[in-house]
Amino acid sequence: MVSFETLDREALSAEVDKLRDQYSQLRARQLDLNLTRGKPAPEQLDLSAELLALPGADYRDGNGLDCRNYGGLDGLPELRAIFGELLKVPTSQLLAGNNSSLEMMHDTIVYQLLHGNVDSARPWSAEPGVKFLCPSPGYDRHFAICEHFGIEMLPVPMRPDGPDMDVVTELVNDPQVKGIWCVPIYSNPTGVTFSEETVRALATMPTGAHDFRIYWDNAYVVHPLTDAEAPVHDILGMAADAGHPNRPLVFASTSKITFAGSGVGFLGSSSENIDWYKKNLGFSSIGPDKLNQLRHLRFFKDAAGVRAHMAKHREILAPKFNAVLDILDSRLSDAKVATWTHPDGGYFINLDVVEGTAKRVVQLAKEAGISLTAAGASFPYGKDPANCNIRLAPSFPALEEIRVAMDGVATCVLLAAAEHFDE
Ligand code: PLP
C-alpha cells in the first residue's frame, strides 16, 4: 500500500471499493470486542489473590493499632511510608484513604467551591468564575468533574514533555484560573511523562490566583512497560522552595496495582493542606478502611515489593501493547493515515487518525462489533476540535481478542481515510 495522499482519483476510488469489501467481511464476523476499558484484566487481578486472605487474624499494625476500629484519618503510617517513598512525599504529608483517588480529587474540588482552600480569600463558588487548565488529550473523568461543577475548562495542547508551558504561563495570569489537571507520568491517554523542566516550571510559575492548585494525579507512577522507570520529580519540594508550598495536591492509588475496586488511595501535599483536607474530611468520615490498608501493607512489605509486583503486571501488559503497536504499524504505516504513541508505561495508546474522521472510525468499528472510546472523550466537553483522536485501551481484553479487534480498527481507519480523501 502507498500513501493515500499520493493516490490519484481513480486509484483512490479503487481503494475505497477494496476497503468497503474488507469492511463487509469484517462486519459479517459479528464480533463483540471492547477496547474502551482502561481496567486491569482478570489475570492482573489474580496477581493480588493473596490479598483476599489478608490480613488474617492479626488485625494490628506495627504500632499495635487495632485496625478493625474507627479512627486514624491519616491512614496507616507504615503503608504511607511505602508510598511516600514511591511518590517522593514525606510520610507525614501523605494520607492513605479509601479505594478511590478520584473521589479525593472530587472532594477537594467540592471543599474549595464551598469553603476555598488555605490560601483563598473566599469560596471558589463566590468568585466571578472558576477556570481550570486542561492539558488535552487528558483523562475524561478529570474533565467530567469540572463540567459537573460548572468549572470552565481551558484546553492546553499536550507536548511530548508535558503541557505546552508557553500556553500555561500565559493563561495562568488570569486570577479566575484556579487549577490545572496533570497526569505527570505515563499520562492518560498520551503516555507522556513530564520533563523535569516542565515540572519545575509548573511548581514555580507566577499565577494570577493566590490559591492556585496543581492536581498532580500520579495514577501511573509505578506502571512502566519497559525496564526503565520514569523518574519521579519532587514537585512538593520544588513548589515549597519557590514559595508555593500549598500549590501541588499529589494523588495516587493502588487501583491498577492490586484490585481496581478495592485498592488504597493517597493524597500528598503540604502539612497545611493535609490538615485542611482532614478538617473537611472529618465531617464525612471517622476513618478509612484500615483493614484494607493493613492487608496491602502485609502484601507489599516495602517499596521494592510494589516494584516487584508491577514487574508481573508488565509481563501481562507489554505483549498486549506490543500487539496493538505491531498491527498499527503493519496495517497503517504505509498509507500514512494515522500516527500513534509508543508509551513507555500506563494504560493507553493514543491514536490520531486523519483529521475529521475519528467519529466515523468509531462508528464503523461499532457497527462491526468493536467498541472504542467515544471520539473526543479525552477532550474538555468531549469535543476534539480536529476530530482525530481515539484512545485505545489494551489492558482488559485477551491477547487474541486484541489482535482481532485492532485488525478491525485498522480497516475502519483506512476506510474512513479513503472515503475522506475521495470526497
Ligand atoms: N487518574 C487517572 C489518570 C486514571 O486513569 C484513573 C483510572 O483510570 C484514575 C485516576 C482513577 O483512580 P482511582 O481508581 O484511584 O479512583
Side-chain angles (χ1 to χ4, degrees):
M1 196 181 284
V2 291
S3 164
F4 278 12
E5 273 176 301
T6 64
L7 294 180
D8 61 23
R9 279 225 89 73
E10 208 178 319
L12 205 52
S13 293
E15 199 61 46
V16 171
D17 290 345
K18 194 183 89 189
L19 285 164
R20 288 211 171 118
D21 204 42
Q22 257 182 39
Y23 180 68
S24 308
Q25 290 169 29
L26 176 68
R27 278 187 71 150
R29 294 174 70 182
Q30 299 195 315
L31 299 172
D32 182 13
L33 300 169
N34 193 319
L35 282 172
T36 67
R37 291 173 291 202
K39 59 184 189 179
E43 314 85 75
Q44 289 178 267
L45 301 175
D46 289 344
L47 297 173
S48 304
E50 215 184 297
L51 273 180
L52 296 173
L54 289 170
D58 180 5
Y59 46 76
R60 291 185 190 276
D61 78 351
N63 301 316
L65 181 80
D66 185 341
C67 294
R68 299 171 305 177
N69 221 328
Y70 272 145
L73 217 46
D74 300 81
L76 301 189
E78 294 156 290
L79 186 68
R80 286 157 46 213
I82 294 177
F83 280 85
E85 184 180 333
L86 296 167
L87 292 163
K88 286 232 172 85
V89 177
T91 308
S92 63
Q93 291 170 230
L94 186 71
L95 207 126
N98 289 318
N99 73 309
S100 168
S101 61
L102 187 68
E103 185 177 328
M104 292 166 138
M105 297 175 223
H106 168 277
D107 288 354
T108 55
I109 297 268
V110 173
Y111 301 156
Q112 288 170 116
L113 286 168
L114 293 176
H115 309 296
N117 60 44
V118 296
D119 298 314
S120 301
R122 60 190 77 84
W124 284 5
S125 56
E127 299 281 354
V130 179
K131 302 174 191 169
F132 256 60
L133 304 186
C134 300
S136 306
Y139 180 35
D140 53 352
R141 287 181 188 270
H142 289 162
F143 302 160
I145 291 177
C146 281
E147 197 168 353
H148 184 53
F149 292 118
I151 295 175
E152 187 184 341
M153 290 181 269
L154 306 177
V156 173
M158 197 65 159
R159 302 273 174 241
D161 59 351
D164 186 327
M165 287 309 295
D166 290 340
V167 177
V168 170
T169 45
E170 175 68 33
L171 290 175
V172 90
N173 289 320
D174 177 352
Q176 290 184 8
V177 171
K178 295 288 192 188
I180 182 169
W181 292 108
C182 295
V183 183
I185 296 184
Y186 314 133
S187 199
N188 174 352
T190 56
V192 162
T193 293
F194 294 16
S195 66
E196 183 168 0
E197 201 187 343
T198 301
V199 178
R200 195 174 299 282
L202 285 162
T204 59
M205 66 191 175
T207 60
H210 297 301
D211 53 354
F212 181 84
R213 291 293 177 263
I214 299 176
Y215 275 74
W216 200 248
D217 180 0
N218 226 336
Y220 300 105
V221 60
V222 286
H223 301 61
L225 285 163
T226 69
D227 287 338
E229 270 181 37
V232 179
H233 300 297
D234 175 17
I235 188 163
L236 283 170
M238 290 179 191
D241 289 348
H244 312 298
N246 301 324
R247 182 180 287 182
L249 295 167
V250 178
F251 300 89
S253 76
T254 69
S255 290
K256 282 160 188 153
I257 300 176
T258 56
F259 296 148
S262 307
V264 180
F266 297 91
L267 166 61
S269 197
S270 65
S271 302
E272 201 180 353
N273 276 352
I274 293 295
D275 286 347
W276 166 84
Y277 178 75
K278 279 195 296 181
K279 205 176 87 195
N280 283 285
L281 181 69
F283 289 98
S284 64
S285 173
I286 310 170
D289 181 347
K290 294 182 297 303
L291 283 176
N292 189 34
Q293 296 186 2
L294 184 61
R295 64 183 179 153
H296 277 80
L297 172 63
R298 300 247 165 92
F299 181 61
F300 293 131
K301 298 183 180 63
D302 52 26
V306 177
R307 290 206 172 91
H309 184 71
M310 293 315 291
K312 297 181 193 162
H313 279 283
R314 194 163 73 219
E315 276 173 31
I316 297 172
L317 285 173
K320 294 184 177 184
F321 276 72
N322 289 337
V324 173
L325 295 172
D326 285 349
I327 290 171
L328 288 171
D329 193 36
S330 66
R331 296 276 328 268
L332 300 182
S333 281
D334 292 347
K336 298 200 171 39
V337 290
T339 55
W340 53 90
T341 53
H342 293 76
D344 293 327
Y347 259 59
F348 303 98
I349 289 172
N350 191 55
L351 174 66
D352 281 331
V353 297
V354 171
E355 281 202 12
T357 67
K359 283 191 179 147
R360 174 76 177 143
V361 171
V362 172
Q363 182 63 23
L364 284 168
K366 186 175 170 205
E367 286 167 16
I370 305 166
S371 303
L372 294 175
T373 306
S378 302
F379 287 77
Y381 308 103
K383 285 188 192 130
D384 168 10
N387 184 19
C388 72
N389 186 259
I390 295 172
R391 185 185 86 166
L392 301 172
S395 61
F396 192 78
L399 191 53
E400 197 39 43
E401 285 178 355
I402 289 177
R403 291 202 180 100
V404 175
M406 277 312 300
D407 196 54
V409 170
T411 300
C412 298
V413 172
L414 288 165
L415 176 55
E419 286 174 348
H420 177 81
F421 291 128
D422 194 36
E423 265 167 14

